[in-house]
Amino acid sequence: MGRATLIGFSAVAMWALLALLTDASGRVPPFLLSAITFSIGTGVGLVARLFMPASDKSQKIPPQVWLIGIAGLFGYHFFYFTALRNAPAVEASLIAYLWPLLIVLGSALMPGERLAWNHVVGALLGLAGTVLIVTKGGGLAFDARYAFGYAMAAVCALLWSSYSLLSRRFPSVPTSIVTWFCAATAVLSLACHLALEQTVLPDGVGQWLAVLGLGLMPVGAAFYAWDIGVKRGNIQVLGAASYAAPLLSTLVLIAAGVAEPSPRILAACVLITGGAALAAKSLFPRKPAASASGAGASERGAGA
């Protein structure tokens, strides 16, 4: 379980590159960028199949798995883009980023799972750190005029948390299925682009390399790693640790010279790191109580 959890967290680390690479990709419209990068992500899955054991072709994939996967990948991006078009980015992003907390809380409803106090507190600390990152230390101003955009952002959070939790119910479904989720998302994104956007392609080698990087990692390998994590790892720990994504993203931007370090970043770092460590405390090895009691008994025996 520990290895799968680490693989799942590698997806969070890759998502930290999303903001930097998206910014470097130029003025490509969101749905077109989604179509291109998910096409590359499909290629990642096809190449990975060459190095994986052959899957059982006789295994039938339940229809609900296709619905869950496509709704998770395409639905999240569709409603996220819709939210940003209809509400201020700060508030919309913060609402959308409720999904780690929903994963932690929703895991209590999963068979064989148990929700502990440290999972909830750890997720809330992560949420507090995310508020500092997203709002840049300022206040939030929820305006009724943007109610539709806020609702779309809430749908984002619900869709991705539901996708993550429901995927865990199908551990026997191979991760290679994510290849076809990416392919379907690319096709649906292209349809949305043709219906809603004007075509603007990346300009120059640098922007194309940024798009390639997006497709290889944050919009490619990350989804395969996340599938392994939510199916076989500790989903409560993954949910709480996912709040590290906006922090890591900010640190990447600082390292690239796009953002400036500040006390707010340090405070967010303490909150998110502390929350993740608290949520993961059950994974840390503990000294067996029996050894202590055994030592006490031997000392009493020696004294006798």
Side-chain angles (χ1 to χ4, degrees):
M1 177 178 285
R3 181 172 177 269
T5 303
L6 288 175
I7 292 174
F9 186 73
S10 73
V12 178
M14 284 186 274
W15 287 330
L17 299 172
L18 189 61
L20 179 64
L21 292 176
T22 300
D23 181 68
S25 66
R27 302 180 63 184
V28 183
F31 283 117
L32 178 58
L33 186 61
S34 178
I36 297 172
T37 53
F38 271 104
S39 295
I40 298 170
T42 302
V44 170
L46 293 174
V47 171
R49 284 168 172 259
L50 301 176
F51 303 94
M52 291 181 179
S55 59
D56 184 4
K57 295 184 178 180
S58 64
Q59 181 184 11
K60 292 187 176 181
I61 306 299
Q64 57 266 40
V65 169
W66 293 102
L67 178 62
I68 292 167
I70 296 172
L73 269 65
F74 173 72
Y76 175 85
H77 291 84
F78 176 85
F79 286 104
Y80 183 70
F81 295 151
T82 303
L84 292 183
R85 290 174 184 268
N86 292 276
V90 169
E91 288 79 7
S93 297
L94 190 58
I95 294 172
Y97 223 84
L98 288 173
W99 64 261
L101 181 61
L102 293 178
I103 287 177
V104 173
L105 298 177
S107 65
L109 305 176
M110 303 296 290
E113 300 291 347
R114 185 178 65 87
L115 186 64
W117 69 269
N118 58 297
H119 298 136
V120 177
V121 175
L124 290 174
L125 287 173
L127 177 60
T130 300
V131 170
L132 283 178
I133 293 289
V134 174
T135 63
K136 298 181 179 179
L140 290 171
F142 291 103
D143 192 322
R145 291 179 299 169
Y146 305 117
F148 177 74
Y150 299 152
M152 295 299 96
V155 172
C156 285
L158 186 60
L159 273 175
W160 190 253
S161 58
S162 297
Y163 164 74
S164 301
L165 290 167
L166 292 173
S167 293
R168 194 172 179 84
R169 290 182 174 270
F170 300 93
S172 63
V173 174
T175 293
S176 59
I177 193 69
V178 175
T179 305
W180 309 122
F181 297 162
C182 288
T185 300
V187 171
L188 292 170
S189 296
L190 179 60
C192 288
H193 164 66
L194 295 175
L196 301 171
E197 299 174 334
Q198 289 187 337
T199 300
V200 178
L201 293 173
D203 183 17
V205 175
Q207 292 186 7
W208 275 111
L209 287 175
V211 172
L212 178 62
L214 280 169
L216 290 176
M217 290 184 289
V219 193
F223 292 114
Y224 301 92
W226 185 252
D227 186 78
I228 294 171
V230 296
K231 283 179 177 175
R232 302 179 183 88
N234 188 314
I235 197 164
Q236 291 98 347
V237 172
L238 267 181
S242 294
Y243 278 117
L247 172 63
L248 293 175
S249 179
T250 303
L251 294 178
V252 168
L253 292 172
I254 290 174
V258 180
E260 294 291 333
S262 69
R264 168 181 56 85
I265 301 299
L266 177 60
C269 184
V270 171
L271 286 169
I272 293 174
T273 305
L278 181 62
K281 79 180 186 69
S282 58
L283 296 182
F284 301 146
R286 290 178 292 181
K287 185 177 180 180
S291 62
S293 59
S298 62
E299 289 175 2
R300 288 193 296 273

